[in-house]
Amino acid sequence: ADVDYDLWCGPAEKKDLYREKFHYDWHWDWNTGCGEMGNWGVHVFDDLKNNILRDKVLLPKRIMAGGARVLYNDAGNTPNVHFVYFDTGIVPVVLGLSNIPEAPGARSAGKHIGPGSGYVAFCEGGRLEGQRGKAKAFDQDGKVIREFKGDSGNGHVQNFLDGVKSRDRSVLNAEAAVGNASSNWCNIANIAVRCGKPYTQKDASQLDGKTEGRWEELIADTSDLLQKNGLKLEGGDFRLSPLLTLDSERCVFVGENAEIANKFVKRTYRKGFVVPEIG
């Protein structure tokens, strides 16, 4: 009763609500949200860009993604199982997101190497496992070489508000453009899955050998997780995009299948909330 729903919707369509939680569940609707990829994945991408790619890559060159919303019979329409390949030109990146349990009745998601929420960088001499507020470096035998500590991002919101109030960008922990770039990784992952076709193993196999086995491992782990919940990749609800090419300077898709993907790059803004073009 104390929310101006018209203002809350802003440029999005003003649709009736069918979800249980007014605030948090906006993530799971394409009209207002960005799915688990934007809710959870953005934190991983931020670390990936900074710690692994060393800020040398603004956006990936190519992308391929699959996913579906499964198991939960709710009002959501964004994937709760989402897997993606990114060609960065430097380090091949694969990401798997899931919020379904390891098996019916279980509380945790499927098991895999590394932290439950975080990332793993596979290197010549071992691997780095990172997550919010900390990281560990392991040698090839699995022995911990070094540990790293952070502040888990505490204070970032206050820092942003301080910057807004003072109109002084120099006080920011990071430029706003950094957050925009990390968010765009989520956006293109979402675009890819939205323009996908029914999943087939044949289409997925076009990446075999291009990621040092990580893509195949991700597909296998995802398939195993689904099977434990009575689901399957092929012949089910899952969709898989073609391999899409991105013009990172203009943030638009180019080449084959670009026309399909570019339909999702920008929304149709609702009257009264049109976001102007900035030259």
Side-chain angles (χ1 to χ4, degrees), residues 67-90:
R69 189 166 194 84
V70 294
L71 206 62
Y72 305 131
N73 182 21
D74 59 8
N77 51 33
T78 61
N80 62 346
V81 178
H82 200 161
F83 44 93
V84 199
Y85 160 74
F86 297 98
D87 175 6
T88 69
I90 301 177

Side-chain angles (χ1 to χ4, degrees), residues 58-243:
L58 182 66
L59 286 169
K61 296 179 177 181
R62 296 187 299 169
I63 179 174
M64 185 174 177
R69 189 166 194 84
V70 294
L71 206 62
Y72 305 131
N73 182 21
D74 59 8
N77 51 33
T78 61
N80 62 346
V81 178
H82 200 161
F83 44 93
V84 199
Y85 160 74
F86 297 98
D87 175 6
T88 69
I90 301 177
V91 178
V93 173
V94 297
L95 176 71
L97 285 179
S98 168
N99 63 14
I100 68 172
E102 184 181 5
R107 294 191 172 209
S108 61
K111 291 182 173 62
H112 52 80
I113 191 171
S117 174
Y119 56 94
V120 182
F122 295 95
C123 311
E124 291 181 358
R127 69 183 187 273
L128 174 73
E129 296 185 3
Q131 59 190 123
R132 179 174 289 182
K134 58 185 177 180
K136 290 183 179 180
F138 299 83
D139 63 16
Q140 294 284 31
D141 297 323
K143 180 183 178 182
V144 177
I145 303 171
R146 186 176 173 184
E147 296 190 41
F148 305 86
K149 296 290 183 181
D151 64 1
S152 300
N154 294 327
H156 283 345
V157 174
Q158 185 62 54
N159 176 251
F160 173 74
L161 294 175
D162 290 344
V164 171
K165 290 178 178 179
S166 66
R167 299 292 192 269
D168 182 4
R169 66 193 286 185
S170 68
V171 307
L172 294 176
N173 292 337
E175 289 283 350
V178 173
N180 177 68
S182 298
S183 298
N184 276 339
W185 283 66
C186 303
N187 292 336
I188 61 175
N190 281 332
I191 288 172
V193 78
R194 295 188 76 178
C195 65
K197 296 179 179 180
Y199 177 96
T200 68
Q201 183 59 44
K202 180 181 178 181
D203 290 338
S205 66
Q206 66 178 289
L207 291 181
D208 289 359
K210 295 182 179 180
T211 66
E212 298 180 352
R214 301 303 170 191
W215 173 255
E216 298 95 304
E217 183 180 329
L218 175 60
I219 294 297
D221 287 348
T222 302
S223 181
D224 180 61
L225 174 64
L226 294 174
Q227 287 179 12
K228 289 178 179 178
N229 284 277
L231 303 167
K232 55 184 178 180
L233 275 170
E234 197 161 13
D237 295 326
F238 279 83
R239 302 182 71 82
L240 181 71
S241 76
L243 190 59

Side-chain angles (χ1 to χ4, degrees), residues 26-43:
W26 60 264
H27 287 97
W28 322 134
D29 184 356
W30 286 130
N31 182 49
T32 55
C34 45
E36 198 68 88
M37 186 61 67
N39 178 46
W40 183 9
V42 67
H43 302 290

